[in-house]
Amino acid sequence: PNAGNRTNAATLTLAQLTRQSPSMGIASIGRIFEALGYRAKECYQFEDKHLNAIYFQHPEPLFPKIFVSEIRVYELSEKNRNRILKSVSSHKSLLTDGLLQSIHNLHTTRSTSLDSLLERTLNCLQVVPWALPTLEDVQAVNEESQYAAWVLVHGNNVNHFTALINSHKVDSLNDIEKTAKALASAGVPMKDDIEGERGSKLRQTATEAVTIDVPVIWQGKVINCNWKYAYFELAQRDSFTDEAGKSYRYEGFMSHQATNLFEMTKGK
């Protein structure tokens, strides 16, 4: 819907696998954002999904938060753990020490080199850093963890984007119910419910995840398989007054609500 509104990107969320050799997961991919000036703010655990997560925040308040999660592969069943480790055995990180240095020194980079630097950095997120998994392995892993299966086919890519309702500055879209209803009326498939009660410090909902073709190996040949990719989340963070009369806004995340949002990329 076009109401002349401006939307701030509130959060960028990435999904990862844990592995020690070679280094994978939050400790590896998070360095991109640390090189850009972001710093780790809070940690979360999602025990039922075997996930760790950290969100990174930049000193510039208009920059989006970066929420990076990873699955503790070592907690999965032996069969699926072996399937995952076999699938990522060819892992080759595109994130080098030299690239991190270039990202950190971005402000001194010649404009003619910025496009190349951006492409190299995006490749670290958008290029799957291992050989194509087999369809059989992906489907078997998906039975135990749709999150792990998602990472096998999408790599380090963005899992979802979040817009902040409070940034709309338009009366017709000034709460999460109005915005979700407007999107649904425009034909956008939406999550059935809203996470968080009215008056709570964080409320969230989302579009349904888009389905795309991903390449996998089936009987020795490359085929395309339909798989859930990313979705667009809406978050409402209202201001409250503490006991001292100081206004504040909650900037963190609610684990039980995020757990339900992780289900958005689950195949139906």
Side-chain angles (χ1 to χ4, degrees), residues 24-254:
M24 295 169 60
I26 294 172
S28 177
I29 213 69
R31 293 191 178 110
I32 291 176
F33 304 102
E34 290 176 335
L36 288 168
Y38 280 83
R39 292 296 178 263
K41 193 71 174 179
E42 288 184 358
C43 303
Y44 304 89
Q45 282 77 43
F46 305 90
E47 298 302 336
D48 60 328
K49 296 188 180 302
H50 311 283
L51 301 180
N52 303 319
I54 293 178
Y55 92 80
F56 296 82
Q57 193 160 357
H58 197 276
E60 169 52 60
L62 290 180
F63 283 15
K65 298 176 179 65
I66 307 296
F67 189 93
V68 186
S69 58
E70 64 182 12
I71 186 164
R72 300 186 292 269
V73 175
Y74 49 82
E75 292 183 359
L76 301 181
S77 65
E78 182 178 1
K79 286 185 177 180
N80 281 329
R81 186 169 66 249
N82 289 337
R83 288 186 178 103
I84 292 169
L85 294 179
K86 178 189 69 175
S87 296
V88 303
S89 61
S90 59
H91 174 273
K92 183 177 181 181
S93 177
L94 298 176
L95 183 60
T96 64
D97 291 331
L99 179 55
L100 283 173
Q101 184 177 6
S102 296
I103 295 171
H104 178 66
N105 295 326
L106 181 63
H107 61 288
T108 64
T109 302
R110 295 177 58 182
S111 59
T112 53
S113 301
L114 288 177
D115 287 346
S116 174
L117 178 58
L118 177 61
E119 181 180 5
R120 291 169 60 203
T121 304
L122 288 177
N123 282 345
C124 294
L125 304 177
Q126 296 178 339
V127 175
V128 179
W130 46 75
L132 296 180
T134 67
L135 179 60
E136 180 183 15
D137 285 341
V138 173
Q139 290 176 332
V141 169
N142 190 57
E143 290 296 317
E144 182 173 0
S145 170
Q146 65 89 15
Y147 179 105
W150 188 98
V151 178
L152 282 184
V153 297
H154 295 301
N156 299 324
N157 222 319
V158 177
N159 178 267
H160 65 275
F161 304 86
T162 306
L164 184 63
I165 293 292
N166 312 76
S167 71
H168 290 334
K169 308 299 183 184
V170 174
D171 288 343
S172 61
L173 300 171
N174 65 2
D175 69 22
I176 199 166
E177 280 88 3
K178 292 178 182 178
T179 306
K181 183 178 179 181
L183 288 169
S185 297
V188 178
M190 298 295 295
K191 188 176 185 293
D192 292 334
D193 52 8
I194 293 172
E195 302 294 332
E197 300 295 326
R198 284 184 178 272
S200 59
K201 55 188 178 181
L202 175 61
R203 308 188 69 206
Q204 298 161 283
T205 191
T207 68
E208 291 186 4
V210 67
T211 298
I212 65 172
D213 285 339
V214 294
V216 293
I217 300 298
W218 172 245
Q219 296 182 345
K221 297 180 180 180
V222 177
I223 65 167
N224 284 324
C225 171
N226 290 334
W227 212 266
K228 293 284 188 178
Y229 172 44
Y231 57 93
F232 189 71
E233 180 190 337
L234 302 173
Q236 181 174 336
R237 298 176 182 270
D238 293 329
S239 296
F240 297 89
T241 302
D242 63 18
E243 296 179 355
K246 183 179 179 181
S247 178
Y248 74 96
R249 191 175 77 184
Y250 178 68
E251 297 293 347
F253 297 86
M254 312 290 287

